[in-house]
Amino acid sequence: MNTKLYNIAQQFALEGAIADIKALGDGFINDTFIVKTEGTTPDYILQRKNHIVFPDVPAMMDNIRRVTEHIKAKVENPLRDTLTVVPTTDGALYYKDEAGNFWAVCLFIENTTTYDRADSTALAYQGGKGIGRFQAQLADFTEPLAEVIKGFHNMRYRFEQWDEAVKADKAGRVASLTEEIGWIESRREEMLGFWSLVENGTIPTRVTHNDTKISNILFDADTKDVLCAIDLDTVMSSTSLNDVGDALRSYTNTGAEDDPDLEKVSMSLDMFRAYIEGYLSERAATLSESEWEWLAFSGRFITFEQVLRFLMDYIDGDKYYKIKYPEHNLVRTRAQYKLLQSMEEQYDQMVAIVNGLK
Ligand code: ATP
Ligand code: MG
């Protein structure tokens, strides 16, 4: 067993003696390990939190504690139906090692499975159900959470960055992007109009998960039913429509996010229906009138944001997203724009599906 990891795990208030520590998968953001204990005591998840992505790990851990405590007060099985943060022996929610890395521990939830990809309507339904349940459990959580990633999905902030990027024209590419820049500008008013409804409270501010992919939903291994949403690092306060929009952007795309073949890219209305049905199966009762009204639009909003961000990074000279070839960000921009157009074309049907489930 790695003694460094062992010593870090020992900082936490674990039940039982540590038997083994093993790496679990290869996460994009954090380093995740499973800590097995001897006998019948629980196992644990130990994570090195990425403090480049999350500059304020203490605030992030406090968000997670508050959100999970709120859920625990409502569910039948508080140790299974949500994450349980395990403090250090000093009672802190994280441990900072000598190298300045932040570590945190939560209970390993036994007898569960996850899925890597939502490639069927059945899984899209389950993904919607998982986030819908999470949001429903937190629909009455009204205190603000720390903003762990600044300006996340904040369209006003995005346009401020955009205006600066176009003005600075760092990579000298603006002149060649008249058409693509037009895609953004022609939707500026519509997108900021939606965002004003969030800013003025017409659309309520609630707890958002902000990483809605299917691998962040835990399923009961026996019943195969949704158990809970995990990976709560990005929980923040905003409109919960962001979670739906982000999921729709990824679940419903018939092509890849960076598909060079635009023929392959479109929004699958079947996947849309499945996700929304799953989501509403848990969340319909707590949705406000304004959330109902803008639910289908959320997919367009988040997809538009991604078009803007990929194009902005291309204009900036590819500073933010890792690229695999020189035009990668432009290819991503075009592919996401194709998806956005497909959503716009099918918007009436999307709205009809939502209204049919009301
Ligand atoms: P990524 O960046 O890929 O989302 P991550 O580094 O954020 O990963 P998590 O999503 O928190 O890590 O966890 C990775 C995987 O470990 C999960 O998909 C799940 O399979 C498993 N896992 C995490 N926490 C638990 C838990 N408390 N109980 C059981 N399994 C867990
Ligand atoms: Mg994850």
Side-chain angles (χ1 to χ4, degrees), residues 29-61:
I29 306 293
N30 304 308
D31 297 323
T32 305
F33 303 89
I34 178 160
V35 180
K36 301 240 181 211
T37 66
E38 281 164 15
T40 56
T41 45
D43 295 334
Y44 299 89
I45 292 278
L46 168 68
Q47 272 183 334
R48 186 167 71 103
K49 300 291 185 179
N50 184 326
H51 62 268
I52 311 291
V53 177
F54 305 113
D56 191 349
V57 175
M60 174 178 94
M61 292 308 300

PDB file of all heavy atoms in Angstrom, residues 29-61:
ATOM      1  N   ILE A  29     -10.998  15.313 -13.457  1.00  0.00           N
ATOM      2  CA  ILE A  29     -10.783  16.481 -12.608  1.00  0.00           C
ATOM      3  C   ILE A  29      -9.984  16.134 -11.353  1.00  0.00           C
ATOM      4  O   ILE A  29      -8.972  16.751 -11.062  1.00  0.00           O
ATOM      5  CB  ILE A  29     -12.148  17.101 -12.193  1.00  0.00           C
ATOM      6  CG1 ILE A  29     -13.008  17.404 -13.436  1.00  0.00           C
ATOM      7  CG2 ILE A  29     -11.958  18.344 -11.357  1.00  0.00           C
ATOM      8  CD1 ILE A  29     -12.489  18.482 -14.350  1.00  0.00           C
ATOM      9  N   ASN A  30     -10.453  15.158 -10.613  1.00  0.00           N
ATOM     10  CA  ASN A  30      -9.813  14.804  -9.350  1.00  0.00           C
ATOM     11  C   ASN A  30      -9.089  13.463  -9.479  1.00  0.00           C
ATOM     12  O   ASN A  30      -9.272  12.752 -10.452  1.00  0.00           O
ATOM     13  CB  ASN A  30     -10.877  14.677  -8.256  1.00  0.00           C
ATOM     14  CG  ASN A  30     -11.717  15.938  -8.121  1.00  0.00           C
ATOM     15  OD1 ASN A  30     -11.179  17.033  -7.988  1.00  0.00           O
ATOM     16  ND2 ASN A  30     -13.023  15.781  -8.170  1.00  0.00           N
ATOM     17  N   ASP A  31      -8.282  13.135  -8.445  1.00  0.00           N
ATOM     18  CA  ASP A  31      -7.739  11.769  -8.354  1.00  0.00           C
ATOM     19  C   ASP A  31      -8.553  11.043  -7.296  1.00  0.00           C
ATOM     20  O   ASP A  31      -8.628  11.505  -6.158  1.00  0.00           O
ATOM     21  CB  ASP A  31      -6.261  11.797  -7.936  1.00  0.00           C
ATOM     22  CG  ASP A  31      -5.413  12.502  -8.974  1.00  0.00           C
ATOM     23  OD1 ASP A  31      -5.690  12.337 -10.175  1.00  0.00           O
ATOM     24  OD2 ASP A  31      -4.491  13.237  -8.576  1.00  0.00           O
ATOM     25  N   THR A  32      -9.134   9.937  -7.690  1.00  0.00           N
ATOM     26  CA  THR A  32     -10.069   9.234  -6.796  1.00  0.00           C
ATOM     27  C   THR A  32      -9.508   7.876  -6.377  1.00  0.00           C
ATOM     28  O   THR A  32      -8.988   7.132  -7.208  1.00  0.00           O
ATOM     29  CB  THR A  32     -11.434   9.048  -7.508  1.00  0.00           C
ATOM     30  OG1 THR A  32     -11.899  10.313  -7.946  1.00  0.00           O
ATOM     31  CG2 THR A  32     -12.469   8.431  -6.595  1.00  0.00           C
ATOM     32  N   PHE A  33      -9.626   7.560  -5.087  1.00  0.00           N
ATOM     33  CA  PHE A  33      -9.152   6.279  -4.545  1.00  0.00           C
ATOM     34  C   PHE A  33     -10.242   5.658  -3.695  1.00  0.00           C
ATOM     35  O   PHE A  33     -11.057   6.366  -3.107  1.00  0.00           O
ATOM     36  CB  PHE A  33      -7.909   6.495  -3.652  1.00  0.00           C
ATOM     37  CG  PHE A  33      -6.786   7.176  -4.381  1.00  0.00           C
ATOM     38  CD1 PHE A  33      -6.697   8.569  -4.392  1.00  0.00           C
ATOM     39  CD2 PHE A  33      -5.836   6.438  -5.078  1.00  0.00           C
ATOM     40  CE1 PHE A  33      -5.665   9.217  -5.088  1.00  0.00           C
ATOM     41  CE2 PHE A  33      -4.810   7.070  -5.773  1.00  0.00           C
ATOM     42  CZ  PHE A  33      -4.722   8.466  -5.773  1.00  0.00           C
ATOM     43  N   ILE A  34     -10.212   4.333  -3.645  1.00  0.00           N
ATOM     44  CA  ILE A  34     -11.105   3.655  -2.705  1.00  0.00           C
ATOM     45  C   ILE A  34     -10.266   3.144  -1.540  1.00  0.00           C
ATOM     46  O   ILE A  34      -9.207   2.547  -1.737  1.00  0.00           O
ATOM     47  CB  ILE A  34     -11.948   2.549  -3.376  1.00  0.00           C
ATOM     48  CG1 ILE A  34     -12.813   1.843  -2.331  1.00  0.00           C
ATOM     49  CG2 ILE A  34     -11.107   1.556  -4.157  1.00  0.00           C
ATOM     50  CD1 ILE A  34     -13.994   1.097  -2.918  1.00  0.00           C
ATOM     51  N   VAL A  35     -10.719   3.449  -0.344  1.00  0.00           N
ATOM     52  CA  VAL A  35     -10.035   3.012   0.872  1.00  0.00           C
ATOM     53  C   VAL A  35     -10.846   1.872   1.473  1.00  0.00           C
ATOM     54  O   VAL A  35     -11.969   2.077   1.939  1.00  0.00           O
ATOM     55  CB  VAL A  35      -9.926   4.171   1.904  1.00  0.00           C
ATOM     56  CG1 VAL A  35      -9.199   3.704   3.168  1.00  0.00           C
ATOM     57  CG2 VAL A  35      -9.238   5.386   1.288  1.00  0.00           C
ATOM     58  N   LYS A  36     -10.288   0.670   1.416  1.00  0.00           N
ATOM     59  CA  LYS A  36     -10.986  -0.493   1.972  1.00  0.00           C
ATOM     60  C   LYS A  36     -10.552  -0.671   3.426  1.00  0.00           C
ATOM     61  O   LYS A  36      -9.365  -0.538   3.736  1.00  0.00           O
ATOM     62  CB  LYS A  36     -10.602  -1.754   1.198  1.00  0.00           C
ATOM     63  CG  LYS A  36     -10.951  -1.656  -0.281  1.00  0.00           C
ATOM     64  CD  LYS A  36     -11.910  -2.751  -0.663  1.00  0.00           C
ATOM     65  CE  LYS A  36     -12.227  -2.677  -2.136  1.00  0.00           C
ATOM     66  NZ  LYS A  36     -13.575  -3.139  -2.426  1.00  0.00           N
ATOM     67  N   THR A  37     -11.518  -0.985   4.267  1.00  0.00           N
ATOM     68  CA  THR A  37     -11.158  -1.243   5.664  1.00  0.00           C
ATOM     69  C   THR A  37     -11.373  -2.718   5.971  1.00  0.00           C
ATOM     70  O   THR A  37     -12.103  -3.414   5.259  1.00  0.00           O
ATOM     71  CB  THR A  37     -11.994  -0.388   6.644  1.00  0.00           C
ATOM     72  OG1 THR A  37     -13.358  -0.808   6.562  1.00  0.00           O
ATOM     73  CG2 THR A  37     -11.868   1.093   6.332  1.00  0.00           C
ATOM     74  N   GLU A  38     -10.728  -3.166   7.050  1.00  0.00           N
ATOM     75  CA  GLU A  38     -10.835  -4.581   7.419  1.00  0.00           C
ATOM     76  C   GLU A  38     -12.209  -4.879   8.023  1.00  0.00           C
ATOM     77  O   GLU A  38     -12.803  -4.002   8.649  1.00  0.00           O
ATOM     78  CB  GLU A  38      -9.733  -4.942   8.425  1.00  0.00           C
ATOM     79  CG  GLU A  38      -8.408  -5.165   7.718  1.00  0.00           C
ATOM     80  CD  GLU A  38      -7.216  -5.140   8.654  1.00  0.00           C
ATOM     81  OE1 GLU A  38      -7.416  -5.234   9.883  1.00  0.00           O
ATOM     82  OE2 GLU A  38      -6.098  -5.015   8.134  1.00  0.00           O
ATOM     83  N   GLY A  39     -12.683  -6.106   7.828  1.00  0.00           N
ATOM     84  CA  GLY A  39     -13.935  -6.538   8.459  1.00  0.00           C
ATOM     85  C   GLY A  39     -15.149  -5.821   7.905  1.00  0.00           C
ATOM     86  O   GLY A  39     -15.222  -5.530   6.713  1.00  0.00           O
ATOM     87  N   THR A  40     -16.078  -5.522   8.783  1.00  0.00           N
ATOM     88  CA  THR A  40     -17.396  -5.049   8.342  1.00  0.00           C
ATOM     89  C   THR A  40     -17.548  -3.533   8.370  1.00  0.00           C
ATOM     90  O   THR A  40     -18.622  -3.005   8.085  1.00  0.00           O
ATOM     91  CB  THR A  40     -18.499  -5.653   9.244  1.00  0.00           C
ATOM     92  OG1 THR A  40     -18.171  -5.304  10.596  1.00  0.00           O
ATOM     93  CG2 THR A  40     -18.578  -7.150   9.093  1.00  0.00           C
ATOM     94  N   THR A  41     -16.482  -2.830   8.734  1.00  0.00           N
ATOM     95  CA  THR A  41     -16.592  -1.365   8.760  1.00  0.00           C
ATOM     96  C   THR A  41     -16.680  -0.819   7.330  1.00  0.00           C
ATOM     97  O   THR A  41     -16.278  -1.490   6.385  1.00  0.00           O
ATOM     98  CB  THR A  41     -15.379  -0.748   9.504  1.00  0.00           C
ATOM     99  OG1 THR A  41     -14.201  -1.400   9.034  1.00  0.00           O
ATOM    100  CG2 THR A  41     -15.509  -0.882  11.010  1.00  0.00           C
ATOM    101  N   PRO A  42     -17.223   0.407   7.174  1.00  0.00           N
ATOM    102  CA  PRO A  42     -17.431   0.926   5.814  1.00  0.00           C
ATOM    103  C   PRO A  42     -16.129   1.153   5.047  1.00  0.00           C
ATOM    104  O   PRO A  42     -15.069   1.317   5.653  1.00  0.00           O
ATOM    105  CB  PRO A  42     -18.130   2.275   6.046  1.00  0.00           C
ATOM    106  CG  PRO A  42     -18.359   2.425   7.492  1.00  0.00           C
ATOM    107  CD  PRO A  42     -17.689   1.329   8.215  1.00  0.00           C
ATOM    108  N   ASP A  43     -16.239   1.170   3.726  1.00  0.00           N
ATOM    109  CA  ASP A  43     -15.138   1.619   2.873  1.00  0.00           C
ATOM    110  C   ASP A  43     -15.361   3.105   2.556  1.00  0.00           C
ATOM    111  O   ASP A  43     -16.450   3.639   2.800  1.00  0.00           O
ATOM    112  CB  ASP A  43     -15.094   0.802   1.588  1.00  0.00           C
ATOM    113  CG  ASP A  43     -14.774  -0.664   1.867  1.00  0.00           C
ATOM    114  OD1 ASP A  43     -14.129  -0.934   2.900  1.00  0.00           O
ATOM    115  OD2 ASP A  43     -15.188  -1.528   1.072  1.00  0.00           O
ATOM    116  N   TYR A  44     -14.324   3.726   1.998  1.00  0.00           N
ATOM    117  CA  TYR A  44     -14.394   5.180   1.796  1.00  0.00           C
ATOM    118  C   TYR A  44     -13.855   5.564   0.427  1.00  0.00           C
ATOM    119  O   TYR A  44     -13.049   4.849  -0.166  1.00  0.00           O
ATOM    120  CB  TYR A  44     -13.572   5.904   2.873  1.00  0.00           C
ATOM    121  CG  TYR A  44     -14.064   5.636   4.266  1.00  0.00           C
ATOM    122  CD1 TYR A  44     -13.591   4.551   5.002  1.00  0.00           C
ATOM    123  CD2 TYR A  44     -15.026   6.461   4.842  1.00  0.00           C
ATOM    124  CE1 TYR A  44     -14.064   4.283   6.274  1.00  0.00           C
ATOM    125  CE2 TYR A  44     -15.521   6.203   6.126  1.00  0.00           C
ATOM    126  CZ  TYR A  44     -15.031   5.114   6.832  1.00  0.00           C
ATOM    127  OH  TYR A  44     -15.509   4.855   8.082  1.00  0.00           O
ATOM    128  N   ILE A  45     -14.295   6.730  -0.036  1.00  0.00           N
ATOM    129  CA  ILE A  45     -13.738   7.347  -1.236  1.00  0.00           C
ATOM    130  C   ILE A  45     -12.818   8.471  -0.775  1.00  0.00           C
ATOM    131  O   ILE A  45     -13.244   9.353  -0.009  1.00  0.00           O
ATOM    132  CB  ILE A  45     -14.858   7.931  -2.138  1.00  0.00           C
ATOM    133  CG1 ILE A  45     -15.712   6.824  -2.736  1.00  0.00           C
ATOM    134  CG2 ILE A  45     -14.275   8.838  -3.209  1.00  0.00           C
ATOM    135  CD1 ILE A  45     -15.139   6.155  -3.972  1.00  0.00           C
ATOM    136  N   LEU A  46     -11.551   8.391  -1.205  1.00  0.00           N
ATOM    137  CA  LEU A  46     -10.586   9.451  -0.885  1.00  0.00           C
ATOM    138  C   LEU A  46     -10.283  10.187  -2.180  1.00  0.00           C
ATOM    139  O   LEU A  46      -9.978   9.555  -3.197  1.00  0.00           O
ATOM    140  CB  LEU A  46      -9.313   8.806  -0.321  1.00  0.00           C
ATOM    141  CG  LEU A  46      -8.070   9.698  -0.183  1.00  0.00           C
ATOM    142  CD1 LEU A  46      -8.264  10.759   0.893  1.00  0.00           C
ATOM    143  CD2 LEU A  46      -6.831   8.844   0.140  1.00  0.00           C
ATOM    144  N   GLN A  47     -10.384  11.500  -2.159  1.00  0.00           N
ATOM    145  CA  GLN A  47     -10.128  12.271  -3.379  1.00  0.00           C
ATOM    146  C   GLN A  47      -9.152  13.411  -3.156  1.00  0.00           C
ATOM    147  O   GLN A  47      -9.257  14.156  -2.185  1.00  0.00           O
ATOM    148  CB  GLN A  47     -11.436  12.874  -3.921  1.00  0.00           C
ATOM    149  CG  GLN A  47     -12.169  11.936  -4.856  1.00  0.00           C
ATOM    150  CD  GLN A  47     -13.409  12.561  -5.449  1.00  0.00           C
ATOM    151  OE1 GLN A  47     -13.994  13.463  -4.861  1.00  0.00           O
ATOM    152  NE2 GLN A  47     -13.819  12.072  -6.611  1.00  0.00           N
ATOM    153  N   ARG A  48      -8.210  13.500  -4.080  1.00  0.00           N
ATOM    154  CA  ARG A  48      -7.394  14.711  -4.139  1.00  0.00           C
ATOM    155  C   ARG A  48      -8.164  15.680  -5.017  1.00  0.00           C
ATOM    156  O   ARG A  48      -8.409  15.413  -6.178  1.00  0.00           O
ATOM    157  CB  ARG A  48      -6.023  14.420  -4.745  1.00  0.00           C
ATOM    158  CG  ARG A  48      -5.082  15.606  -4.699  1.00  0.00           C
ATOM    159  CD  ARG A  48      -3.672  15.153  -5.016  1.00  0.00           C
ATOM    160  NE  ARG A  48      -3.565  14.809  -6.425  1.00  0.00           N
ATOM    161  CZ  ARG A  48      -2.988  15.596  -7.347  1.00  0.00           C
ATOM    162  NH1 ARG A  48      -2.456  16.747  -7.002  1.00  0.00           N
ATOM    163  NH2 ARG A  48      -2.920  15.207  -8.601  1.00  0.00           N
ATOM    164  N   LYS A  49      -8.566  16.787  -4.442  1.00  0.00           N
ATOM    165  CA  LYS A  49      -9.389  17.746  -5.173  1.00  0.00           C
ATOM    166  C   LYS A  49      -8.485  18.636  -6.016  1.00  0.00           C
ATOM    167  O   LYS A  49      -7.439  19.096  -5.538  1.00  0.00           O
ATOM    168  CB  LYS A  49     -10.203  18.599  -4.193  1.00  0.00           C
ATOM    169  CG  LYS A  49     -11.151  17.804  -3.307  1.00  0.00           C
ATOM    170  CD  LYS A  49     -12.293  17.222  -4.104  1.00  0.00           C
ATOM    171  CE  LYS A  49     -13.310  16.521  -3.192  1.00  0.00           C
ATOM    172  NZ  LYS A  49     -14.438  15.960  -3.951  1.00  0.00           N
ATOM    173  N   ASN A  50      -8.915  18.883  -7.220  1.00  0.00           N
ATOM    174  CA  ASN A  50      -8.118  19.682  -8.145  1.00  0.00           C
ATOM    175  C   ASN A  50      -8.263  21.163  -7.791  1.00  0.00           C
ATOM    176  O   ASN A  50      -9.290  21.785  -8.054  1.00  0.00           O
ATOM    177  CB  ASN A  50      -8.629  19.415  -9.563  1.00  0.00           C
ATOM    178  CG  ASN A  50      -7.810  20.126 -10.606  1.00  0.00           C
ATOM    179  OD1 ASN A  50      -7.311  21.219 -10.370  1.00  0.00           O
ATOM    180  ND2 ASN A  50      -7.687  19.517 -11.758  1.00  0.00           N
ATOM    181  N   HIS A  51      -7.198  21.724  -7.158  1.00  0.00           N
ATOM    182  CA  HIS A  51      -7.375  23.103  -6.700  1.00  0.00           C
ATOM    183  C   HIS A  51      -7.012  24.148  -7.760  1.00  0.00           C
ATOM    184  O   HIS A  51      -7.036  25.343  -7.495  1.00  0.00           O
ATOM    185  CB  HIS A  51      -6.665  23.365  -5.361  1.00  0.00           C
ATOM    186  CG  HIS A  51      -5.192  23.187  -5.385  1.00  0.00           C
ATOM    187  ND1 HIS A  51      -4.590  21.999  -5.075  1.00  0.00           N
ATOM    188  CD2 HIS A  51      -4.191  24.042  -5.685  1.00  0.00           C
ATOM    189  CE1 HIS A  51      -3.293  22.130  -5.184  1.00  0.00           C
ATOM    190  NE2 HIS A  51      -3.021  23.354  -5.561  1.00  0.00           N
ATOM    191  N   ILE A  52      -6.703  23.674  -8.969  1.00  0.00           N
ATOM    192  CA  ILE A  52      -6.600  24.621 -10.097  1.00  0.00           C
ATOM    193  C   ILE A  52      -8.020  24.911 -10.608  1.00  0.00           C
ATOM    194  O   ILE A  52      -8.411  26.057 -10.813  1.00  0.00           O
ATOM    195  CB  ILE A  52      -5.740  24.041 -11.252  1.00  0.00           C
ATOM    196  CG1 ILE A  52      -4.404  23.486 -10.730  1.00  0.00           C
ATOM    197  CG2 ILE A  52      -5.562  25.057 -12.365  1.00  0.00           C
ATOM    198  CD1 ILE A  52      -3.417  24.506 -10.217  1.00  0.00           C
ATOM    199  N   VAL A  53      -8.781  23.825 -10.786  1.00  0.00           N
ATOM    200  CA  VAL A  53     -10.171  23.985 -11.219  1.00  0.00           C
ATOM    201  C   VAL A  53     -11.019  24.612 -10.101  1.00  0.00           C
ATOM    202  O   VAL A  53     -11.883  25.446 -10.359  1.00  0.00           O
ATOM    203  CB  VAL A  53     -10.770  22.613 -11.635  1.00  0.00           C
ATOM    204  CG1 VAL A  53     -12.236  22.744 -12.006  1.00  0.00           C
ATOM    205  CG2 VAL A  53      -9.988  22.022 -12.799  1.00  0.00           C
ATOM    206  N   PHE A  54     -10.733  24.194  -8.860  1.00  0.00           N
ATOM    207  CA  PHE A  54     -11.505  24.692  -7.710  1.00  0.00           C
ATOM    208  C   PHE A  54     -10.580  25.475  -6.780  1.00  0.00           C
ATOM    209  O   PHE A  54      -9.968  24.897  -5.879  1.00  0.00           O
ATOM    210  CB  PHE A  54     -12.127  23.523  -6.943  1.00  0.00           C
ATOM    211  CG  PHE A  54     -12.968  22.621  -7.808  1.00  0.00           C
ATOM    212  CD1 PHE A  54     -12.571  21.322  -8.067  1.00  0.00           C
ATOM    213  CD2 PHE A  54     -14.151  23.072  -8.367  1.00  0.00           C
ATOM    214  CE1 PHE A  54     -13.341  20.472  -8.860  1.00  0.00           C
ATOM    215  CE2 PHE A  54     -14.931  22.237  -9.169  1.00  0.00           C
ATOM    216  CZ  PHE A  54     -14.520  20.938  -9.411  1.00  0.00           C
ATOM    217  N   PRO A  55     -10.471  26.787  -6.983  1.00  0.00           N
ATOM    218  CA  PRO A  55      -9.500  27.563  -6.200  1.00  0.00           C
ATOM    219  C   PRO A  55      -9.813  27.619  -4.697  1.00  0.00           C
ATOM    220  O   PRO A  55      -8.915  27.836  -3.897  1.00  0.00           O
ATOM    221  CB  PRO A  55      -9.554  28.962  -6.825  1.00  0.00           C
ATOM    222  CG  PRO A  55     -10.648  28.964  -7.815  1.00  0.00           C
ATOM    223  CD  PRO A  55     -11.155  27.578  -8.013  1.00  0.00           C
ATOM    224  N   ASP A  56     -11.088  27.417  -4.321  1.00  0.00           N
ATOM    225  CA  ASP A  56     -11.436  27.487  -2.899  1.00  0.00           C
ATOM    226  C   ASP A  56     -12.053  26.157  -2.449  1.00  0.00           C
ATOM    227  O   ASP A  56     -13.271  26.030  -2.321  1.00  0.00           O
ATOM    228  CB  ASP A  56     -12.405  28.667  -2.679  1.00  0.00           C
ATOM    229  CG  ASP A  56     -12.603  28.986  -1.213  1.00  0.00           C
ATOM    230  OD1 ASP A  56     -12.165  28.177  -0.353  1.00  0.00           O
ATOM    231  OD2 ASP A  56     -13.194  30.038  -0.913  1.00  0.00           O
ATOM    232  N   VAL A  57     -11.181  25.179  -2.203  1.00  0.00           N
ATOM    233  CA  VAL A  57     -11.665  23.855  -1.796  1.00  0.00           C
ATOM    234  C   VAL A  57     -12.443  23.907  -0.471  1.00  0.00           C
ATOM    235  O   VAL A  57     -13.490  23.263  -0.349  1.00  0.00           O
ATOM    236  CB  VAL A  57     -10.505  22.826  -1.748  1.00  0.00           C
ATOM    237  CG1 VAL A  57     -10.989  21.484  -1.218  1.00  0.00           C
ATOM    238  CG2 VAL A  57      -9.896  22.649  -3.147  1.00  0.00           C
ATOM    239  N   PRO A  58     -11.982  24.683   0.546  1.00  0.00           N
ATOM    240  CA  PRO A  58     -12.771  24.750   1.780  1.00  0.00           C
ATOM    241  C   PRO A  58     -14.220  25.204   1.532  1.00  0.00           C
ATOM    242  O   PRO A  58     -15.157  24.612   2.079  1.00  0.00           O
ATOM    243  CB  PRO A  58     -12.007  25.779   2.629  1.00  0.00           C
ATOM    244  CG  PRO A  58     -10.588  25.654   2.149  1.00  0.00           C
ATOM    245  CD  PRO A  58     -10.691  25.384   0.676  1.00  0.00           C
ATOM    246  N   ALA A  59     -14.405  26.213   0.687  1.00  0.00           N
ATOM    247  CA  ALA A  59     -15.775  26.690   0.388  1.00  0.00           C
ATOM    248  C   ALA A  59     -16.558  25.612  -0.364  1.00  0.00           C
ATOM    249  O   ALA A  59     -17.752  25.395  -0.109  1.00  0.00           O
ATOM    250  CB  ALA A  59     -15.720  27.970  -0.439  1.00  0.00           C
ATOM    251  N   MET A  60     -15.874  24.926  -1.261  1.00  0.00           N
ATOM    252  CA  MET A  60     -16.517  23.845  -2.007  1.00  0.00           C
ATOM    253  C   MET A  60     -16.992  22.738  -1.060  1.00  0.00           C
ATOM    254  O   MET A  60     -18.131  22.256  -1.165  1.00  0.00           O
ATOM    255  CB  MET A  60     -15.520  23.271  -3.009  1.00  0.00           C
ATOM    256  CG  MET A  60     -16.005  22.073  -3.750  1.00  0.00           C
ATOM    257  SD  MET A  60     -14.763  21.521  -4.930  1.00  0.00           S
ATOM    258  CE  MET A  60     -13.946  20.312  -3.935  1.00  0.00           C
ATOM    259  N   MET A  61     -16.133  22.348  -0.123  1.00  0.00           N
ATOM    260  CA  MET A  61     -16.511  21.273   0.800  1.00  0.00           C
ATOM    261  C   MET A  61     -17.658  21.708   1.706  1.00  0.00           C
ATOM    262  O   MET A  61     -18.511  20.907   2.079  1.00  0.00           O
ATOM    263  CB  MET A  61     -15.290  20.820   1.624  1.00  0.00           C
ATOM    264  CG  MET A  61     -14.217  20.104   0.834  1.00  0.00           C
ATOM    265  SD  MET A  61     -14.834  18.714  -0.157  1.00  0.00           S
ATOM    266  CE  MET A  61     -15.530  17.652   1.124  1.00  0.00           C
TER     267      MET A  61
END
